[in-house]
Amino acid sequence: RQVRLAMARSIDKAKVNQLANKGFAALADGPFPPGVLGYLKDPGAATFDLSAAKAAVKEMKAKGQRTTFSMLTSDGPAAIRTAQIEKGMLESAGFTINIEVASEAGLIDRVIAGKYDLAQFRNQPGEDPDANYNWWYGDGNPVNFGKFDDATINAALDKGRSSPDTGVRRDAYETVNRQFGAQAYNVYLWYAPWAVAESKDVHGILGPPLPDEPGVAPPARLVNGHPLLGIWIERS
């Protein structure tokens, strides 16, 4: 945890976003964007604090603890550029970081096998947080890429999955969000921007309002695609 927190405090997310995305993406402090159950404005995640990061790394070195790590990234130019920016920030805190580049398929194979130190990833989609159950549940789960087995997260995921009550589920996923903030299993950078291009005479591309939520517009979070049910074409 000390290493994870030091790394989280080494990363200036706003600067990474500016250099990598020209500041376009919305910064993230946790796994859930606004409007999704479990979102918290402040989940307690570590924030950029280079002085604290340097002090932690210095202490680790004095104790003979490991401070040299490999960072695994996919071979896309944007991913490599972001990894290089992060490498510079981590090394400013005193870490030594070696970048490893793999194909996307190779990267996935490596993280499933747990054969990596750090990995840069875009993942954890879903309008409903339960879509992330398979990514975060412990107990030997091969696609829990961080390989953490956190009793608090496991219990909250089970609670969120087993109750139909929105309030109960919100509480469960807020617990998940706070635990990620406290333990720094992941350093969340930004919410990935998505878009669907459409002609001006095409309507309803995000689908109709759901029957159990009358008057609520369909979500625009598109990472898993979007429904085709409500699309219609205007004819003159």
Side-chain angles (χ1 to χ4, degrees), residues 71 73 77-89 99 120:
M71 178 186 290
T73 185
I80 294 172
R81 182 175 68 248
T82 302
Q84 289 171 334
I85 295 167
E86 294 165 344
K87 167 184 166 73
M89 292 180 174
I99 293 178
Q120 186 176 247

Side-chain angles (χ1 to χ4, degrees), residues 68-72 87 91 96-100 117-118:
T68 297
F69 299 94
S70 294
M71 178 186 290
L72 182 63
K87 167 184 166 73
E91 291 191 335
T96 299
I97 303 296
N98 303 306
I99 293 178
E100 292 185 83
D117 294 331
L118 311 172

Side-chain angles (χ1 to χ4, degrees), residues 13-198:
K13 291 187 285 188
K15 187 173 182 180
V16 179
N17 188 32
Q18 186 61 44
L19 292 172
N21 307 317
K22 296 186 177 180
F24 178 70
L27 298 181
D29 289 321
F32 308 127
V36 170
L37 283 178
Y39 168 77
L40 293 167
K41 188 174 182 179
D42 180 9
T47 57
F48 176 58
D49 186 339
L50 186 56
S51 295
K54 285 181 175 179
V57 175
K58 183 177 179 180
E59 180 182 341
M60 285 185 276
K61 287 180 176 179
K63 293 178 178 179
Q65 295 175 349
R66 182 183 175 195
T67 58
T68 297
F69 299 94
S70 294
M71 178 186 290
L72 182 63
T73 185
S74 63
D75 55 6
I80 294 172
R81 182 175 68 248
T82 302
Q84 289 171 334
I85 295 167
E86 294 165 344
K87 167 184 166 73
M89 292 180 174
L90 289 164
E91 291 191 335
S92 292
F95 290 106
T96 299
I97 303 296
N98 303 306
I99 293 178
E100 292 185 83
V101 179
S103 67
E104 190 158 347
L107 184 150
I108 292 170
D109 286 344
R110 289 272 302 274
V111 296
I112 287 176
K115 295 179 178 179
Y116 73 99
D117 294 331
L118 311 172
Q120 186 176 247
F121 232 86
R122 183 186 68 202
N123 200 6
Q124 301 173 1
E127 175 63 20
D128 191 302
D130 184 66
N132 294 297
Y133 189 100
N134 59 313
W135 301 116
W136 298 337
Y137 206 87
D139 196 24
N141 174 10
V143 294
N144 178 328
F145 295 155
K147 308 304 178 188
F148 56 84
D149 188 3
D150 188 300
T152 298
I153 290 177
N154 291 346
L157 290 172
D158 284 334
K159 180 180 177 182
R161 170 165 282 195
S162 61
S163 176
D165 184 276
T166 299
V168 171
R169 301 188 72 231
R170 179 180 292 109
D171 178 72
Y173 295 122
E174 286 179 356
T175 297
V176 170
N177 201 350
R178 291 190 185 95
Q179 190 69 355
F180 271 115
Q183 295 297 324
Y185 294 127
N186 301 320
V187 178
Y188 292 98
L189 298 177
W190 52 73
Y191 304 114
W194 296 86
V196 175
E198 61 187 84

